[in-house]
Amino acid sequence: SDRTGRRASLISDPGTPSGRRTCSDSRICSIWRQPPSCIRSSCRPSLSAMGSGLSSMGLPSSSTAIRYRSHPASTRGIPRRRSISRALGEKVYNEEATLTEEYKKGHVKGEKEVPVLFEEADGVYIKLQGKDRKKEKQDKAEIKIGIAYDGWRKTGPERYALENKVVVAGFSKAKEFQEYREAVIAQEFNLDEVSQRILNAEGASWIKKVKDKSTCFQLDPFHRNKAVKEKIHERAVREAVLELLREEEIEEVFRYLEIYWNSLSDDDEIQDVEELIRYYENNREGLLPYQSQGLDLPEPPEGLEYRNMGTMENHVWSVIAKRMKHGHRSWSRRGNFVSVIKNAAFRTAVHNT
């Protein structure tokens, strides 16, 4: 048939250097950058491109590509793609473990020397695949995300870019994530030369564990204000509390919340205000922005500025959420598409953003 002819011509044709073909189908496969369900052979990557790509990753090339190619356009190709991405994930996992061990031995030291290092951290829950779901007896798990940068560079009118940004993410427990995060940051920055580290985060218990005593903590303004909007039901009271926060009247915030709590009679409203007070008490040290915490910061390097922190929500969306939280997707802790995304997106982000 005509379709068979096109398929045969694709096998003999090495295709473009990237193995990419044009197609009107807008669905794009996250590994091959192709429409995975399109039945037209011209939409699929060529064997030579797939083989060379797999070889460069230390994976079997020709046999894997041929087996993938021999499947008709149906869901039978999905297990093969999953096995490939799991193999990629294992490779990345091992690289991360090696980097962490080298860092612990003191063998990792970046070339960039900066006086101040800004850091942010957050987490997002994504759905687990069946095997991990059964093992952990839960259908979701949290991916921890961290970024680090040394300032803001003006790129246009009212536009700024984070300088020398490093992005890290993982399913790890708090201690393991901290060790890997430090190792990745240490690849870029000489941490011995950093005089002040500043952490902006939403106050989760694991985040407190990734900072040391010398790090200045700031409660993320987005989460700080979001808590007020979610836990206080009366608009006038919400606005009053937010205004006190803007004016940095922290003791007045607690006094006002205490008075408001005493005036309530509804059990649900009482519970919400109690949770807000508890959240603020647990993060009292970070209710003030870092600029108001009495730090003696050195002058920023030439061309950079020190501005208000709080870019984490955007990074949660752009790095994780838009790739992994929609379209009925689910993920495994090791391998699958998680590590593919980490390897492709996060590590290029280190150099290209």
Side-chain angles (χ1 to χ4, degrees):
S1 66
D2 183 53
R3 183 183 301 166
T4 303
R6 288 200 304 270
R7 180 171 297 177
S9 66
L10 177 63
I11 292 176
S12 60
D13 178 14
T16 62
S18 64
R20 296 179 68 171
R21 305 279 178 155
T22 59
C23 177
S24 59
D25 191 333
S26 61
R27 295 168 294 179
I28 302 299
C29 170
S30 62
I31 293 180
W32 306 119
R33 302 297 181 196
Q34 306 291 338
S37 59
C38 183
I39 63 173
R40 289 174 290 175
S41 61
S42 61
C43 294
R44 297 188 185 132
S46 66
L47 277 177
S48 59
M50 288 172 59
S52 61
L54 292 171
S55 297
S56 67
M57 298 171 188
L59 297 172
S61 56
S62 58
S63 60
T64 303
I66 289 169
R67 285 198 297 271
Y68 171 81
R69 190 67 187 81
S70 65
H71 284 294
S74 70
T75 56
R76 281 188 288 171
I78 293 175
R80 176 56 54 192
R81 293 196 292 272
R82 284 179 177 169
S83 65
I84 293 171
S85 57
R86 286 196 183 100
L88 287 169
E90 288 293 336
K91 181 177 176 63
V92 173
Y93 180 86
N94 292 333
E95 289 176 354
E96 293 172 354
T98 300
L99 174 62
T100 301
E101 287 303 312
E102 289 298 305
Y103 170 73
K104 289 180 180 178
K105 296 175 183 177
H107 298 165
V108 180
K109 182 174 292 188
E111 296 181 356
K112 296 183 179 71
E113 296 184 358
V114 299
V116 179
L117 190 62
F118 297 90
E119 305 169 47
E120 305 195 28
D122 203 349
V124 59
Y125 281 86
I126 64 170
K127 292 182 180 179
L128 292 173
Q129 287 185 348
K131 186 181 296 184
D132 287 326
R133 190 184 305 151
K134 292 178 182 178
K135 181 180 178 181
E136 301 183 25
K137 298 181 179 179
Q138 60 183 18
D139 62 352
K140 292 183 179 181
E142 184 182 36
I143 291 187
K144 299 174 178 64
I145 311 168
I147 66 173
Y149 50 96
D150 62 317
W152 290 255
R153 185 178 296 278
K154 192 169 186 177
T155 58
E158 302 301 321
R159 292 183 63 86
Y160 292 85
L162 304 182
E163 186 78 355
N164 296 318
K165 181 175 66 176
V166 177
V167 184
V168 186
F171 272 126
S172 317
K173 295 181 179 179
K175 182 180 178 181
E176 296 168 347
F177 180 72
Q178 165 63 354
E179 291 173 346
Y180 175 58
R181 187 183 75 99
E182 287 289 294
V184 173
I185 293 174
Q187 275 189 310
E188 299 295 314
F189 299 100
N190 183 346
L191 296 180
D192 294 337
E193 300 300 321
V194 176
S195 61
Q196 180 65 62
R197 299 177 70 167
I198 303 171
L199 175 66
N200 177 84
E202 51 91 12
S205 58
W206 71 263
I207 293 177
K208 294 292 187 70
K209 296 177 182 178
V210 306
K211 83 177 194 73
D212 56 36
K213 293 181 179 179
S214 63
T215 299
C216 171
F217 170 70
Q218 170 189 291
L219 185 63
D220 181 66
F222 172 83
H223 288 94
R224 182 196 67 186
N225 297 342
K226 180 183 177 183
V228 173
K229 297 171 184 177
E230 290 180 345
K231 299 301 182 181
I232 295 180
H233 299 202
E234 295 184 32
R235 181 177 178 179
V237 177
R238 286 199 302 269
E239 293 178 350
V241 173
L242 290 173
E243 180 62 25
L244 289 172
L245 289 170
R246 283 192 292 270
E247 294 177 354
E248 302 181 4
E249 299 286 347
I250 304 306
E251 294 305 319
E252 281 299 306
V253 169
F254 285 101
R255 189 183 70 84
Y256 190 94
L257 289 175
E258 191 73 22
I259 293 172
Y260 177 60
W261 176 78
N262 285 322
S263 71
L264 297 173
S265 57
D266 182 85
D267 288 343
D268 290 338
E269 292 186 23
I270 291 172
Q271 181 177 342
D272 281 345
V273 175
E274 287 176 347
E275 290 176 359
L276 177 61
I277 294 173
R278 190 179 308 115
Y279 177 55
Y280 279 2
E281 281 286 2
N282 291 338
N283 296 283
R284 181 186 283 262
E285 62 176 308
L287 289 174
L288 286 175
Y290 76 90
Q291 298 97 322
S292 301
Q293 294 192 31
L295 301 177
D296 184 17
L297 296 180
E299 289 296 315
E302 184 178 356
L304 297 187
E305 298 180 26
Y306 294 160
R307 296 172 54 82
N308 294 332
M309 301 179 72
T311 68
M312 204 61 231
E313 280 303 303
N314 177 61
H315 283 84
V316 167
W317 166 252
S318 61
V319 176
I320 296 292
K322 77 176 181 180
R323 290 180 172 92
M324 303 174 70
K325 282 183 68 71
H326 306 289
H328 304 287
R329 299 183 181 99
S330 60
W331 312 89
S332 64
R333 279 190 175 272
R334 283 197 192 183
N336 217 299
F337 300 115
V338 172
S339 290
V340 173
I341 290 173
K342 285 174 66 178
N343 198 33
F346 296 179
R347 294 187 182 183
T348 55
V350 169
H351 301 289
N352 297 336
T353 58

